[in-house]
Amino acid sequence: EVYRVDHSFLDTVEAQPATHFVPFELQLTGCPIERHELLAAVSSLLRGTVPELPAVPVCWECKARENECRVIQHHAVCCGAMTRAGCGARCPSHGVACAGCRGPVEEPNYDANITMFADRGISWKEISARMRDFSAPAWMRMGLEGATDSER
């Protein structure tokens, strides 16, 4: 037996982002970050200005590229409506729903997005499970955590 049945011997803590421990003046989001954003940020900082980061959701980039909507046409749990743009809608452009790796857009309309998903038979639990790896904890703290299906 490689592992014991009792896992209490593992002394672990919940993973936290670096911003939980160290203050940041600038954060480039994405997994991985986009090369053009890194170069623009370095250039701006060298000039003494503050880099401008996208303030629109990935959905905006999807529409600009004339992609089919992963939610409307495919009933997929796509996080593009609540995720910061800047990736060129890479995942949806390759037929994959956005996973939210760039983190939440500054002003997501959570209620409208939850309603949009619910109208297509997608529960808030499916949404939070899809976003779990990148941004669900922040979004769940804003009202999804503890809600019941009847509340959504």
Side-chain angles (χ1 to χ4, degrees), residues 2 6 8 16 21 25 28 31 63 66 69 75 82 91 100 102 109 116-117 119 124-125 135 140 146-147 152:
V2 177
D6 177 23
S8 63
Q16 299 284 335
F21 304 100
E25 293 180 26
L28 297 178
C31 183
K63 290 175 184 173
E66 299 182 1
C69 179
H75 296 276
M82 298 177 276
C91 294
R102 295 183 54 79
N109 189 340
M116 174 189 66
F117 284 119
D119 289 347
W124 67 269
K125 289 180 182 180
S135 49
M140 289 173 73
R152 292 287 170 210

Side-chain angles (χ1 to χ4, degrees), residues 3-24:
Y3 301 104
R4 291 191 247 174
V5 175
D6 177 23
H7 298 286
S8 63
F9 69 93
L10 296 173
D11 184 23
T12 62
V13 295
E14 182 180 346
Q16 299 284 335
T19 54
H20 183 77
F21 304 100
V22 181
F24 284 82

Side-chain angles (χ1 to χ4, degrees), residues 24-91:
F24 284 82
E25 293 180 26
L26 175 67
Q27 182 177 355
L28 297 178
T29 59
C31 183
I33 62 172
E34 298 294 325
R35 180 178 182 209
H36 69 276
E37 280 188 327
L38 174 63
L39 295 175
V42 170
S43 177
S44 291
L45 294 171
L46 289 173
R47 288 191 313 269
T49 61
V50 177
E52 289 187 33
L53 300 175
V56 297
V58 172
C59 275
W60 186 86
E61 293 178 319
C62 244
K63 290 175 184 173
R65 294 186 69 152
E66 299 182 1
N67 293 338
E68 281 189 352
C69 179
R70 305 304 304 168
V71 176
I72 295 171
Q73 271 87 19
H74 302 280
H75 296 276
V77 180
C78 183
C79 302
M82 298 177 276
T83 301
R84 181 184 302 273
C87 61
R90 179 180 294 117
C91 294

